[in-house]
Amino acid sequence: MYELIIVGAGPAGVSAAVYAARKKIKAAIITYDFGGQSKVSNDIHNWIGTPSISGTDLAKNFEAHVKAYKDDLDIIEGKKVSVVEKTDQGFKVKTEIGDEYETHTVLLALGSHRRRLGVPGEDEYDGKGVVFCSTCDAPLFQGQDVAIVGGGNSGLEAVVDSIPYAKKIYLLVRSGELKGDATTQEKVKTHEKVEILFNTEIKEIKGETFVTSAVIKNNQTNEEKELPVGGVFVEIGSIPSSNIVKGLVDINQIGEVVVDHKTQATSCEGIWAAGDVSDVL
């Protein structure tokens, strides 16, 4: 019986594991691997204290930091948690391969995963021109033409992130209007580098070693054309990885675990949530 089980090993889970170990709490961290969403970025510039680091190297640093406390923490790797269940003593954490662990409390650090386009070429060129984090990856496209998919705040902010680097930015908006903040909209609409294509969807991403173009379609006229671009930013939102606790804790309409913003406590006593899986902005 653990005092605490931490589920997930992105920044939130790793931070919790280090603190739990230092406090000598009888704790375990369960994760398939280390790093969270950071692993998909080739070059991260916004990890404070480190001017530039790859997602792979950052994940290795997370792993090394946690394993420095291996004598004070159980580290359960290579396993995905399938469900968390309430018991008389606390909670039972089950993995997809049937392992079960009992604990008095749980910290959910499950993160989220990027919503994808689901078009040909997206998976093939993931990390080779198809990216999901403008803050991390915009500098990689210095002097190139890029396409950014998404008319909400994520898409607009990706445009702003890309303006200092890209030569030309095509903002592809599925609907006939932008939906982000008015001030960001104005900045995007008036910038000379930006061309907004409304009622437009990507149908295919093409390339060789890296992305070379995107096939787009106007969903009103059905006209298709090919944009020569070196990068495609997919900014259509994220999906919180909260399925394992549905029915156990309160979850909002977009799948985030609802927490008390002072304590991170969920609606179920004994369960806390931190990071992207929670509704903390």
Side-chain angles (χ1 to χ4, degrees):
M1 172 67 77
Y2 290 100
E3 292 180 66
L4 169 67
I5 286 181
I6 301 156
V7 185
V14 165
S15 298
V18 169
Y19 275 89
R22 290 175 62 83
K23 296 293 184 182
K24 302 293 184 179
I25 295 171
K26 182 175 174 54
I29 182 169
I30 304 176
T31 184
Y32 185 76
D33 55 14
F34 286 84
Q37 288 193 63
S38 62
K39 291 185 303 178
V40 305
S41 299
N42 292 324
D43 195 12
I44 297 170
H45 291 189
N46 63 324
W47 188 256
I48 302 303
T50 306
S52 175
I53 189 169
S54 72
T56 301
D57 286 342
L58 185 59
K60 288 178 180 176
N61 288 351
F62 287 168
E63 182 176 0
H65 200 165
V66 169
K67 289 184 175 178
Y69 292 94
K70 63 184 179 180
D71 293 338
D72 300 303
L73 176 77
D74 284 355
I75 303 165
I76 302 165
E77 294 181 77
K79 297 180 181 180
K80 293 182 178 180
V81 172
S82 59
V83 69
V84 176
E85 296 178 350
K86 190 84 173 71
T87 67
D88 292 339
Q89 292 76 35
F91 302 93
K92 186 174 290 184
V93 179
K94 298 181 178 180
T95 71
E96 290 182 344
I97 59 174
D99 295 326
E100 297 183 358
Y101 304 91
E102 291 191 281
T103 180
H104 291 301
T105 62
V106 176
L107 175 69
L108 304 170
L110 296 155
S112 63
H113 51 282
R114 295 284 181 151
R115 195 181 300 277
R116 302 179 74 91
L117 296 168
V119 300
E122 182 181 30
D123 292 341
E124 182 179 355
Y125 295 105
D126 189 345
K128 301 175 182 178
V130 175
V131 293
F132 297 85
C133 176
S134 62
T135 308
C136 309
D137 295 326
L140 302 178
F141 297 91
Q142 180 76 45
Q144 298 187 54
D145 293 351
V146 298
I148 294 174
V149 186
N153 278 323
S154 295
L156 296 178
E157 289 165 8
V159 172
V160 173
D161 289 340
S162 298
I163 283 172
Y165 306 103
K167 179 182 176 183
K168 171 81 174 182
I169 301 166
Y170 297 98
L171 178 59
L172 311 182
V173 184
R174 187 175 184 177
S175 67
E177 61 180 357
L178 298 176
K179 297 177 181 177
D181 294 337
T183 53
T184 314
Q185 283 193 38
E186 191 60 29
K187 187 181 295 186
V188 167
K189 288 177 179 177
T190 57
H191 202 282
E192 60 185 9
K193 285 187 177 182
V194 181
E195 181 177 344
I196 303 174
L197 302 176
F198 290 106
N199 303 304
T200 301
E201 303 175 38
I202 285 189
K203 304 303 292 183
E204 183 180 359
I205 298 167
K206 295 183 176 182
E208 295 172 2
T209 304
F210 294 93
V211 169
T212 57
S213 66
V215 178
I216 61 172
K217 178 181 179 180
N218 184 294
N219 56 34
Q220 291 190 328
T221 66
N222 290 325
E223 178 187 359
E224 291 191 8
K225 65 179 180 180
E226 193 166 334
L227 289 179
V229 293
V232 176
F233 290 79
V234 181
E235 297 287 352
I236 54 176
S238 297
I239 304 171
S241 302
S242 58
N243 282 340
I244 70 167
V245 288
K246 281 188 175 176
L248 186 59
V249 301
D250 288 346
I251 294 174
N252 66 19
Q253 61 184 0
I254 59 174
E256 297 168 331
V257 176
V258 178
V259 298
D260 180 311
H261 292 174
K262 290 184 178 180
T263 66
Q264 303 297 124
T266 71
S267 60
C268 180
E269 186 175 356
I271 298 182
W272 287 261
D276 285 351
V277 77
S278 75
D279 67 346
V280 176
L281 297 177

